[in-house]
Amino acid sequence: MAAFALPQSLAAAAERDDFPDRRDWVATLPSTVAKLSARWSLRLLEPYQPGGQCSWVAPAIDQEGRPRVLKVGWRHVDNEHESLALQAIAGRGAVLVHDAYEDATTSAMLLERCAPGAALAESRPEAEQDEIVAGLLRRLWATPIDGPFRSLATMCDEWATEFEERFTPEMLDPGLARAGIALFRALSLDVVEPVLLWTDLHAENVLAAEREPWLAIDPKPYVGDRAYDVLQHLLNCRERLATDPIGLAGRIAALLDLDPLRVTRWLFARCVQESLGVQRFRAAAIALAPAAEL
């Protein structure tokens, strides 16, 4: 690179004052990236755009001429144990991690580069996306749970508490909101066979590759109910979530041999939790409520 560049989304996030620690971390990025580049003997290319709000990610070439990706993240709860999850999965449906580094504020990885690298969301219609995401999840759930991964119940309780602190009656019917958040907590505790969850698998986080047709990226690992793991994909299916959320939940449940009622209840609870400031999730929560058998 001729000069250090910030991806657009990270630059915009750094200008906000919602996370001062992140802003301070971004200020140190040029020196951090330089140190990591030297550590792994990399020639860096321009970072991916628009990028994410908590990491700097760029294609690179190592000293052997092999294509790699350098991911340098602001260390926070959402990316905790990301490298450990990828190491445990060992490339079975996900990108390989070749090396990792952590300090008090930074979590960095040297990753496999996906080629051609097009996102599933841009490459296949949603019906095919459903099948590919489901196939990846089946493989990812087979990963042994061996590591310091947090429980899904912990995350759900934190998110539910944040919802309760920010909720106001004009956002959603208060009774519906209480039912949804209570269910959000209860489902996370009612787990028969916990698995290692990706929690953020959707068509933008699945890339076309050569080693396998599709590889998942960017896990946010937790341990818990596999029915939760379909939710981010469902939330990203905007048209079907608006027009037929019950049918959408039933389709992904059938592809993964999950209980359709449980998936529907999870989707209702998550739409309630996500409804703060987002009208489409409020509408979906209202449509899902009768089928969730509250």
Side-chain angles (χ1 to χ4, degrees), residues 37-43 60-68:
S37 178
R39 177 188 182 94
W40 288 318
S41 302
L42 301 175
R43 177 165 64 87
I61 300 170
D62 71 9
Q63 60 184 347
E64 304 296 329
R66 295 169 298 195
R68 298 287 187 252

Side-chain angles (χ1 to χ4, degrees), residues 178-196:
R178 284 193 298 272
I181 289 302
L183 188 58
F184 194 61
R185 285 191 168 103
L187 287 170
S188 71
L189 293 168
D190 176 26
V191 184
V192 175
E193 187 181 351
V195 296
L196 183 61

Side-chain angles (χ1 to χ4, degrees), residues 47-91:
Y48 293 111
Q49 295 286 0
Q53 299 184 43
C54 296
S55 61
W56 186 96
V57 186
I61 300 170
D62 71 9
Q63 60 184 347
E64 304 296 329
R66 295 169 298 195
R68 298 287 187 252
V69 166
L70 176 62
K71 180 174 183 177
V72 185
W74 171 51
R75 191 170 178 180
H76 62 295
V77 66
D78 279 350
N79 71 355
E80 199 71 15
H81 310 314
E82 179 179 357
S83 65
L84 292 179
L86 287 173
Q87 288 166 1
I89 292 164

Side-chain angles (χ1 to χ4, degrees), residues 52-278:
Q53 299 184 43
C54 296
S55 61
W56 186 96
V57 186
I61 300 170
D62 71 9
Q63 60 184 347
E64 304 296 329
R66 295 169 298 195
R68 298 287 187 252
V69 166
L70 176 62
K71 180 174 183 177
V72 185
W74 171 51
R75 191 170 178 180
H76 62 295
V77 66
D78 279 350
N79 71 355
E80 199 71 15
H81 310 314
E82 179 179 357
S83 65
L84 292 179
L86 287 173
Q87 288 166 1
I89 292 164
R92 296 181 297 271
V95 292
L96 289 163
V97 55
H98 295 293
D99 205 352
Y101 167 85
E102 285 187 347
D103 61 25
T105 60
T106 296
S107 176
M109 293 180 292
L110 185 62
L111 296 166
E112 172 183 13
R113 195 196 306 180
C114 295
L120 177 60
E122 302 162 0
S123 308
R124 295 288 189 275
E126 276 191 6
E128 291 184 40
Q129 292 175 26
D130 295 344
E131 295 171 1
I132 292 166
V133 167
L136 288 172
L137 282 172
R138 283 187 183 276
R139 299 178 68 198
L140 298 171
W141 291 339
T143 305
I145 302 172
D146 184 18
F149 304 111
R150 303 172 77 214
S151 73
L152 179 65
T154 300
M155 184 189 77
C156 288
D157 185 62
E158 291 171 355
W159 288 8
T161 299
E162 179 184 8
F163 176 90
E164 290 163 343
E165 290 171 350
R166 295 176 54 196
F167 176 77
T168 57
E170 62 269 17
M171 294 178 178
L172 191 67
D173 175 79
L176 201 64
R178 284 193 298 272
I181 289 302
L183 188 58
F184 194 61
R185 285 191 168 103
L187 287 170
S188 71
L189 293 168
D190 176 26
V191 184
V192 175
E193 187 181 351
V195 296
L196 183 61
L197 305 173
W198 197 269
T199 78
D200 194 27
L201 190 62
H202 54 85
E204 293 287 350
N205 275 351
V206 177
L207 304 182
E210 294 176 337
R211 182 172 58 82
E212 295 188 7
W214 301 99
L215 293 172
I217 63 170
D218 294 344
K220 294 178 174 59
Y222 287 83
V223 172
D225 181 12
R226 68 189 67 203
Y228 177 90
D229 230 4
V230 305
L231 296 183
Q232 196 59 57
H233 173 63
L234 300 185
L235 294 179
N236 283 24
C237 297
R238 297 175 68 106
E239 182 177 348
R240 287 186 292 168
L241 187 66
T243 59
D244 186 17
I246 298 169
L248 175 62
R251 170 166 167 77
I252 202 72
L255 287 171
L256 284 161
D257 299 318
L258 298 171
D259 178 357
L261 176 58
R262 189 170 184 86
V263 174
T264 300
R265 299 181 86 202
W266 262 122
L267 184 58
F268 162 69
R270 181 73 189 275
C271 284
V272 169
Q273 181 267 326
E274 291 281 357
S275 68
L276 297 177
V278 185

